Amino acid sequence: MSDERHIQELIRSLPGPEGEPAFREALRAEFVAGMPGADASADGDGTRVTEAPRRVVPLRLGLVGLAIAASLLAFFFVWPRGPEWNVVAVAGEGSVTVNGTTYPSAEALQRMPRTLSPGVHVSVEGGTMLDLAAPGVLSIQLAPGSELEVPGRVAAAGRATYEGLVARGEVRFVTGPDFAGSRLDLDAPAAHVIVTGTTFAVITDADTTCVCVLEGTVEMVSVDGAKEAVTGGTRRTLRRETGEAHAEEILPMERMKLQMLRDAVLGAADADAAGTGR
Amino acid sequence: VRRLEPEALGAFFDRYFHLIHGLAFRLLGNPAQAEDVCQDVFLRVHRGLYRLDTSRDPAPWLAAIVGNACREFWRGKHFQAGQQSVPIAEIGDWQDDHPRSRETPESELVRSEQQRRVRHAILELPDQLREVVVLHDFQALTHQEIATATGASHDAIRKRHSRALARLAEALKERES
């Protein structure tokens, strides 16, 4: 038997740890009730546990302290979070899911909320496309099969900063005139994307993230922290597993889609400005 | 689970507690530290559940969170101070769920001593090598799954695993001699 095989067998023969039942039960109660700050002193059938296990109580007190500190910070720096997102259009057959509630796309405009708050999770299935807009700031188009955490403004020194998440699919973005001087940070499975004003798309699955830039420049940060600029007319693809990066010219079809979205958004903004005398 | 429904969360916890706690315990080798990290991991998991990909086995994702939490713990002063003050012989008083009834006291003693040596050798490995051994040989993750979980390349993980096994073999031979 080889040394390697022998060592592996020795390792696998080691017994496993069980964990203290009291610790396990208390942690389970916290997890089910919603961490952090959840009441972990109730067991599964709602009765009280008379003796709290070690380390759970100090952690919970710490979490309560953190929650209070976070609330104060949120009050002074984050509030109001904004912006509110208008649902501009729902097209195609399929469905829209907002924070776990699914609406058939034919009824979505009537039944789903017409404005979405930052941080809401939206996905589109089947052949549905969804357009969202924070007027003047940012417009977003979700292609079928996409999932997004709607960006929101976060506390940051200096410029306004928005953060969001593209979980999967193809999501296109156009920044508006009121975005000038702001920054948008997007998380995707294989990259982090930093935007300061441009028209671009994030196309992603669990392993690969591609950023296509129509105009302007987008910074793309890989999971190991390497930062690269993606300039107008190009696209860059990052693979999470291997760290491979690939840059090339943007595909004509993607260019066309981004141009159409940009023209629609900027055309609407011009019309708004004319209507309000701006 | 993504909707944070209590019943589903309970089932999720029951299914993955052993994986998370076992990994933390084997990476850190200390029950109290493993519990601290385990709590931290479940907190992170709870916060990240909305991005759980229900079409995939969550084990590599969970293993990645445990790995990150342990790495942060290793970097912490608390862990470094603890490592200096806790004798290695006290590490890993693991409960043995293997049946012992057919063993003689002598063979049980031999087996127990061998297990202690293996545990000790694993805990003396550098963090990166220990992580690969624990994930591969305890948790049965493939090299590819470990690569995904840790963000390293498949080739790097394969090499680390081979290096870890070679070091363990060497350490055990030294102890036996």
Side-chain angles (χ1 to χ4, degrees):
Chain A
M1 186 187 296
S2 72
D3 266 0
E4 282 202 0
R5 179 68 60 83
H6 174 61
I7 293 295
Q8 282 183 298
E9 287 190 1
L10 281 177
I11 294 169
R12 286 167 189 165
S13 72
L14 291 176
E18 281 299 312
E20 280 186 29
F23 165 76
R24 183 190 158 131
E25 282 310 305
L27 186 58
R28 186 183 194 279
E30 279 204 354
F31 187 71
V32 170
M35 303 171 90
D39 181 6
S41 59
D43 69 11
D45 62 5
T47 55
R48 311 296 289 183
V49 175
T50 52
E51 188 181 0
R54 66 203 163 87
R55 278 179 297 283
V56 172
V57 170
L59 179 76
R60 197 181 318 132
L61 285 176
L63 290 175
V64 168
L66 277 178
I68 292 168
S71 305
L72 287 172
L73 281 175
F75 182 79
F76 286 111
F77 295 107
V78 182
W79 189 266
R81 185 163 146 81
E84 286 296 305
W85 290 87
N86 296 332
V87 179
V88 177
V90 180
E93 287 186 11
S95 62
V96 181
T97 301
V98 180
N99 267 1
T101 306
T102 300
Y103 307 91
S105 56
E107 305 164 22
L109 278 178
Q110 287 76 45
R111 291 178 50 200
M112 69 184 277
R114 293 304 300 268
T115 56
L116 302 177
S117 299
V120 160
H121 286 262
V122 185
S123 61
V124 287
E125 306 299 344
T128 299
M129 288 188 81
L130 173 68
D131 285 18
L132 304 173
V137 179
L138 200 57
S139 294
I140 301 178
Q141 183 177 70
L142 283 85
S146 300
E147 183 177 347
L148 169 81
E149 180 190 294
V150 177
R153 190 170 172 170
V154 294
R159 63 172 70 180
T161 299
Y162 303 88
E163 285 184 2
L165 165 78
V166 179
R168 63 185 160 92
E170 296 179 27
V171 185
R172 299 183 182 87
F173 298 81
V174 180
T175 56
D178 297 341
F179 187 84
S182 306
R183 165 178 162 149
L184 169 64
D185 283 16
L186 288 171
D187 261 332
H192 183 77
V193 181
I194 301 168
V195 183
T196 52
T198 179
T199 301
F200 69 103
V202 176
I203 302 170
T204 191
D205 59 23
D207 299 319
T208 307
T209 296
C210 173
V211 171
C212 308
V213 180
L214 179 68
E215 55 198 11
T217 303
V218 168
E219 286 185 322
M220 199 174 181
V221 185
S222 64
V223 289
D224 60 7
K227 189 190 282 187
E228 285 288 339
V230 190
T231 54
T234 65
R235 65 179 191 153
R236 183 175 177 82
T237 307
L238 277 176
R239 293 205 63 195
R240 183 185 171 83
E241 284 183 14
T242 59
E244 279 175 59
H246 190 57
E248 59 192 336
E249 198 175 330
I250 190 171
L251 292 175
M253 180 61 79
E254 190 53 46
R255 179 189 293 277
M256 189 190 74
K257 288 176 182 174
L258 285 169
Q259 278 170 343
M260 285 171 65
L261 178 65
R262 181 200 56 188
D263 293 347
V265 168
L266 296 183
D270 288 346
D272 283 350
T276 57
R278 277 208 289 175
Chain B
V1 170
R2 288 179 57 159
R3 290 175 196 169
L4 305 181
E5 288 172 5
E7 200 176 326
L9 287 175
F12 184 90
F13 182 94
D14 292 340
R15 182 155 178 188
Y16 294 108
F17 173 81
H18 280 298
L19 184 148
I20 290 171
H21 181 256
L23 259 180
F25 195 18
R26 283 160 168 154
L27 285 169
L28 298 168
N30 178 303
Q33 291 169 351
E35 287 186 2
D36 285 343
V37 166
C38 196
Q39 278 184 322
D40 182 31
V41 168
F42 272 103
L43 181 64
R44 294 181 196 202
V45 168
H46 201 281
R47 286 181 185 155
L49 279 176
Y50 68 86
R51 64 172 90 181
L52 178 69
D53 182 350
T54 49
S55 64
R56 291 172 167 224
D57 177 8
W61 177 60
L62 297 172
I65 296 175
V66 177
N68 288 338
C70 287
R71 276 193 289 276
E72 284 171 23
F73 200 84
W74 286 326
R75 283 196 292 267
K77 285 180 183 169
H78 173 69
F79 176 74
Q80 285 162 13
Q83 283 301 87
Q84 284 159 11
S85 59
V86 177
I88 199 95
E90 289 178 16
I91 289 175
D93 185 18
W94 300 353
Q95 293 171 27
D96 190 346
D97 50 4
H98 289 194
R100 295 182 179 194
S101 56
R102 274 173 275 171
E103 287 191 76
T104 62
E106 291 78 13
S107 67
E108 189 178 326
L109 192 67
V110 169
R111 186 174 56 82
S112 166
E113 176 55 24
Q114 188 179 47
Q115 288 180 345
R116 198 186 62 78
R117 282 205 303 265
V118 176
R119 284 199 297 268
H120 193 162
I122 290 171
L123 290 169
E124 283 187 333
L125 285 174
D127 299 341
Q128 278 192 336
L129 302 188
R130 178 161 71 245
E131 187 176 29
V132 175
V133 165
V134 168
L135 290 173
H136 188 274
D137 295 310
F138 281 124
Q139 300 302 146
L141 295 189
T142 64
H143 288 155
Q144 187 56 59
E145 285 172 328
I146 299 170
T148 305
T150 58
S153 70
H154 177 269
D155 205 34
I157 295 300
R158 196 177 48 74
K159 284 179 187 163
R160 274 182 213 170
H161 186 226
S162 182
R163 233 172 37 236
L165 293 179
R167 283 216 194 180
L168 283 175
E170 204 175 309
L172 288 173
K173 269 181 197 160
E174 271 177 24
R175 282 170 195 283
E176 277 165 16
S177 65

